[in-house]
Amino acid sequence: TYVVTEVCIKCKYTDCVEVCPVDCFYEGENMLVIHPDECIDCGVCEPECPVEAIKPDTEPDLDKWLEVNTKFSEEWPNITTKKPAPEDADEMAKVDGKYEKYFS
Ligand code: SF4
Ligand code: F3S
């Protein structure tokens, strides 16, 4: 599966949702996640994200993000249509420690 990672938090460009052939993105207040059981590993979303928040889970050190995607894709509503990103999305994409701040 592919996973959405920390960079998406408070950034949320949502370009990714428009290209997914199986509509497996789910939207929380601060980020999007991919449903790991629905993702067919096509990879088309990865280059769509302007801030490179989407990674294949074969990359190292993504265990935490696979957990986040698995858990919240069961709780959050599906999203299939792009919406405007926050005005400070580019700045927020560069901020570290967003997981600790917004998920605990
Ligand atoms: Fe959707 Fe393909 Fe991205 Fe998986 S890899 S979330 S199926 S666009
Ligand atoms: Fe997030 Fe990138 Fe999609 S910022 S909403 S993963 S386009």
Side-chain angles (χ1 to χ4, degrees):
T1 185
Y2 280 66
V3 293
V4 185
T5 65
E6 176 150 26
V7 189
C8 183
I9 299 174
K10 290 277 184 188
C11 186
K12 259 172 86 164
Y13 272 103
T14 66
D15 298 71
C16 52
V17 307
E18 296 270 346
V19 298
C20 180
V22 294
D23 293 343
C24 65
F25 282 90
Y26 293 80
E27 183 187 18
E29 189 184 342
N30 294 322
M31 78 178 288
L32 265 53
V33 291
I34 291 167
H35 197 307
D37 296 336
E38 296 174 358
C39 173
I40 57 170
D41 271 331
C42 73
V44 300
C45 58
E46 186 182 10
E48 287 301 314
C49 177
V51 293
E52 299 184 6
I54 301 175
K55 307 282 184 196
D57 76 339
T58 47
E59 287 195 9
D61 303 322
L62 289 178
D63 291 359
K64 176 172 87 179
W65 294 104
L66 181 56
E67 269 175 46
V68 166
N69 282 250
T70 302
K71 178 173 195 280
F72 291 107
S73 59
E74 293 287 345
E75 298 177 13
W76 293 345
N78 192 239
I79 173 171
T80 57
T81 311
K82 183 175 163 58
K83 55 164 77 170
E87 275 182 24
D88 59 351
D90 274 336
E91 287 153 53
M92 287 310 295
K94 296 182 199 123
V95 174
D96 286 328
K98 289 185 289 184
Y99 178 77
E100 287 71 17
K101 195 162 178 191
Y102 299 109
F103 281 86
S104 53

